[in-house]
Amino acid sequence: MIAAATQTVHGPHIDVAGLSPLIALGGGAIVVLLVGLLRPRFVREGLVPLLSLVALGATLGLSIWQWNEGKSIISGALRVDSLALGLTALFVIAGMLTVVLSWRALAPRESAHGEYYAMLLASIAGMSVLVQAQNLVTLFLGLELLSIPLYVLCATEMRRASSLESGLKYLIVGSVGSATLLYGLALIYGATGSTDFAGIAHALPKGSAMLTDPLFLTGMALVVVGLAFKASVAPFHQWTPDVYEGAPTPITAFMATATKAAALGVFIRFFDVALINAHDNWAPVLAALAAVTIVVGNVGAIGQSSVKRILAWSGVAQAGYMLAGVVVGTQLGIQAVTFYLAGYLVMNIAAFAVVVARSRETALGDSLAAFEGLGGRNPFLGWSMTIAMLGLAGIPGTAGFVGKFFLIDAAVDGDYTWLGIVIVIGSAISLTYYLRIIAAIWMKPTPHAVPALAGGSAEIEPGEVPVGPRPAGLEVTAVAVLCAAATIVLGIVPGPLFDVAKDTATAIGHLL
Amino acid sequence: MNLSILLWLPAAVGLVAAFAPRQIAPKLVALATLVTLGLAIYLIADYDPSGGMQHVTDTMWISQLGIHYKLGVDGLNLFLIGLTTLGFAAAAVAANFRQWDKPGLFYLHLALGETAVLGAFMAQDLALFVVFFDLMLIPFYFLAGQWGVGDDRIKAVTKMVVYTFVGSLLMLGAAIATGVLSAGDGHAISFALSDLRAHKLGTSTQEWIFLLFALAFLVKMPAFPFHGWMPDGYKAMPIEVLAVFSAVLSKVAAYGFLRIVLPVFPDATAHFQDLMLILALASILYGSVMAFTSTNARLVLGYSSIAQLGFITLGIFALNDRGAQGAVLQMVNHGLVVIPLILIVGILARRAGGSEDLRDMGGIAFRAPVLATLFLISAFATLAMPGSSNFVGEFFILLGVFESKQAFAYIAFAGVALAAVYALRLFIRAMHNRPSPQVESKELSFRDGLVLVPLVAVILFFAVYPQLALHRAEKSVTATIQPAVEVTK
């Protein structure tokens, strides 16, 4: 018996190289959490964000290192391929920019620096797991790892009721979404007898009776609903404006970009891999959802006066555009989605960085009034916001135009021309609210700065803007300018990003 | 000559000017527009009338989407490029005589506008055309919204931008569909117009795509009943900007029909010929009647543009050589006439206490014979007085329509008569009659003359020698309408 115990145990092979991006994220989260316990102020306010950046940078480097490997790890539960790594790189970039925006923000100071950044890293790890998942269980695991830290992060400005409300709302709605998803996954498992994506695809050959099985179809519908909650696809988007408005702005920026990318990534993984043979069943449903989302998002944004709410609604609409790329289920569609996600990331972060700057400089928060006359007062922020808005509207010369071009191209190519037309109609509607922001920046007179009264005076004279708590900070302006510049560069020289997008799409083999 | 230089020069100088000191920026951009004009004149002189695409630049821009950066000049766009550079040069010089808030930005937008419009005229790739077509509105949005007139201008320009973008974006969808669907049978996707001409789409596909393109162009022109943005938009713009906007941007739309729609969708063109002719007639009649009844001088010109663009559309969809040639000539003529007319409205308004209402004007000719002469020449050109180049253009258009669809020609003749009514009414109300109390009749200043006299000289030059344009355009016009003509036969 003793002899047996001393025998070498042959454990499963652990592919450390493949796991390394996840290890960097998880390890980084733990290190950041522990270092955050130290007393000195410079450690908490300087070292902790720096270490988070290092962890994210390491993840990015390791993802690039593993780029061409394309292998399954952990007994096929995760797949490290160019699609997963490309999306991970997007999450990491969004995370880095969020860290920079959070550096001197209120939220980490009010909660605790270590916890704040650790949760951010954990959430990114969850996203990474989610888009690598090859299995219903890991899919759900990744989704929860992504969501739970975000619920908390939304509520980190603890002394502001709307932040707490945002966190709570997100928790409740997100849990409903997760529960629905889980139920759907269980039904699909019940119908196909497999939790593995490959196994599910195998159990559903083209034209099999399973494709009309009510159990399977119900499961699929529930999965669509669950994921639609996460990606804020209409009609499951109602939480989005409230949560985006209430959450600390850097977290909103992170949710708007990274979470959306993760949700679309899992749409691609699940529908274009596991359920590709059921394409005829789900494609019309997703197409209808995409069309509804585009219309609802764009119409919802029109009457808003809070810029964060406008961006939330616009994010709903943009999810609809990208869903069109998933619907067609082709290489071109996946390429278009990943390309658009990258462009969408820089445009949105540029916009949110300007919101961060303005809500620090003025006491008006993120209302449209805080942007009046910004072009004359601070041309850097003014131009960054203008470029971001033009980009989101899809004006030529920006990443948004090329992205939309690509999406419509994919839609027409995949016989969904009508969805391409819905995209252009949505873009036309979207101009009304993007132009409102641009008009506020350039076409309204520059107001005079007046000191804000204690207790928040309700009486703001026209032509006056109360001064906010502190200056915008150079790093926030830098993020805005950098992302705006990237919007233009990707719009004029999209070639390199196209190549990357093409590479990510090759990760998925059997498409239509 | 490398067309890229001509194309990007204004934008590049505009960017420099944005960072230049406020005294230098205006002069820098004005100089750049004049140099661009010089280059365009060289291009016209250098053009080989035997036809074909000349000075072609063709490199791949986005290979994955098959989008080429392809520029070229032929008889269709040669004079429109000249008109564009002339219009922007006139606007930039005229703007130099006024003080603008944030001059660097103002001239940056003006310069970007020139590059975008030139790009739309030069593009020989459908996607590139759409890019510039969409892009050219943005600088004008800023110019009107930031430096425009009236308190409602933001609303007005937003309406204008959204209105025209609905059309443009639908065109974007249609353009992508054209590229993707014509690449169906195995060969790589390409948006180059020459490739699209070679691979025709099926008739039913052509038809819905035609409608989307037509909508975009008719809104941009504007044509009745898609002109809803025009009155407010015209009233909101600074007068110098309006001059070039009215002269040039509407021509991009008309040009789009000739360059893209007729050769790429010939079956649909033949199918919808009557519909387009009816819309053109409606524009002529509606525009003329409105121009006759408006009291705002800007709107008189705005509505007269609707009517003139109606004539141009009529010529294009006559689908024969004469009609199309007349349309090309008339595009240039209308632009040449409308620039000085709109600038004159600005000059008149300054003499009428700032009002652009015709009822507040009158008697200005009294002590301003030179101004009156310049105005009269432009007005006569507008109403297509025999001897003017506009007469030649309209004659060709009517001849073309008469040959293909007689009934339409009879109605169009009425439009010619109406043009005389509104042009003379504008002139008489402003220059003759009894002076209104706040009117100050004084001669044209030297500065204003500096802009107006050369513009009117160009009108006179074309009146004497319209052959210059006709001869150079002939071969290209025949080639571009050829596919549609074959279908109708």
Side-chain angles (χ1 to χ4, degrees), chain B residues 413 434 460:
Chain B
F413 284 132
R434 213 161 283 191
L460 290 175

Side-chain angles (χ1 to χ4, degrees), chain B residues 172-195:
Chain B
L172 171 68
I176 297 171
T178 309
V180 174
L181 298 177
S182 80
D185 48 336
H187 49 87
I189 181 169
S190 165
F191 285 91
L193 286 173
S194 47
D195 293 338

Side-chain angles (χ1 to χ4, degrees), chain A residues 376 383 386 395-396 401 405-406 408-409 413 417 424 427-428 431-432 435 438-439 442-443 491-492 494-495 498-499, chain B residues 61-62 64-65 67 105 127 131 134-135 138 141-142 145-146 154 161-162 165-166 169-170 172 176 180 189 191 208:
Chain A
W383 275 111
T386 307
I395 304 294
F401 175 79
F405 197 108
F406 207 175
I408 299 170
D409 187 301
D413 185 62
T417 306
V424 296
S427 310
L431 266 173
T432 46
L435 288 183
I438 296 177
W442 295 103
M443 297 164 197
I492 295 172
F498 265 118
D499 292 337
Chain B
W61 177 25
I62 306 177
Q64 292 86 342
L65 295 177
I67 303 177
L105 271 183
V131 164
D134 286 0
L135 206 53
I138 299 300
Y141 169 70
F142 283 104
Q146 227 172 327
I154 297 179
V161 170
V162 173
F165 254 96
V166 172
L169 286 166
L170 287 174
L172 171 68
I176 297 171
V180 174
I189 181 169
F191 285 91
W208 69 262

Side-chain angles (χ1 to χ4, degrees), chain A residues 434-460:
Chain A
Y434 292 129
L435 288 183
R436 263 179 78 208
I437 298 180
I438 296 177
I441 292 174
W442 295 103
M443 297 164 197
K444 295 277 166 76
T446 313
H448 303 290
V450 294
L453 296 179
S457 134
E459 300 284 315
I460 300 167

Side-chain angles (χ1 to χ4, degrees), chain B residues 101-330:
Chain B
D101 181 36
K102 300 196 199 101
L105 271 183
F106 176 85
Y107 287 96
L108 170 65
H109 286 305
L110 197 62
L112 289 179
E114 176 162 15
T115 290
V117 175
L118 284 175
F121 279 132
M122 289 180 194
Q124 302 299 331
D125 176 287
L126 183 55
L128 194 66
F129 173 81
V130 173
V131 164
F132 284 118
F133 189 85
D134 286 0
L135 206 53
M136 68 189 181
L137 205 59
I138 299 300
F140 283 94
Y141 169 70
F142 283 104
L143 286 170
Q146 227 172 327
W147 293 276
V149 279
D151 296 332
D152 293 338
R153 64 174 189 279
I154 297 179
K155 228 180 209 166
V157 291
T158 307
K159 182 167 152 193
M160 174 179 98
V161 170
V162 173
Y163 228 102
T164 45
F165 254 96
V166 172
S168 306
L169 286 166
L170 287 174
M171 178 173 82
L172 171 68
I176 297 171
T178 309
V180 174
L181 298 177
S182 80
D185 48 336
H187 49 87
I189 181 169
S190 165
F191 285 91
L193 286 173
S194 47
D195 293 338
L196 293 179
R197 279 179 77 153
H199 307 289
K200 290 271 151 49
L201 295 169
T203 310
S204 59
T205 317
Q206 276 188 30
E207 282 172 6
W208 69 262
I209 290 180
F210 174 93
L211 289 177
L212 295 186
F213 270 95
L215 182 65
F217 293 147
L218 291 174
V219 171
K220 188 70 134 201
M221 271 180 173
F224 179 82
F226 308 105
H227 64 285
W229 58 269
M230 193 280 288
D232 290 344
Y234 264 48
K235 277 192 267 185
M237 270 185 231
I239 201 92
E240 294 84 353
V241 175
L242 179 62
V244 62
F245 182 91
S246 177
V248 171
L249 265 75
S250 55
K251 306 303 172 301
V252 181
Y255 166 78
F257 275 121
L258 275 177
R259 170 67 76 203
I260 294 161
V261 173
L262 263 59
V264 180
F265 314 114
D267 299 310
T269 304
H271 184 247
F272 289 114
Q273 184 187 11
D274 286 346
L275 175 70
M276 296 305 293
L277 288 175
I278 289 168
L279 284 176
L281 278 186
S283 296
I284 294 174
L285 296 178
Y286 175 83
S288 302
V289 170
M290 291 302 285
F292 177 56
T293 48
S294 296
T295 53
N296 183 312
R298 284 191 193 211
L299 290 190
V300 172
L301 294 174
Y303 285 115
S304 86
S305 291
I306 293 184
Q308 298 283 333
L309 263 302
F311 267 109
I312 292 168
T313 315
L314 204 64
I316 294 170
F317 282 91
L319 298 186
N320 55 32
D321 283 0
R322 264 165 298 279
Q325 277 214 40
V328 171
L329 181 62
Q330 195 62 9

Side-chain angles (χ1 to χ4, degrees), chain A residues 47 68 84 175 193 337 387 451 455 484:
Chain A
L47 194 59
N68 282 323
S175 307
V337 174
I387 291 169

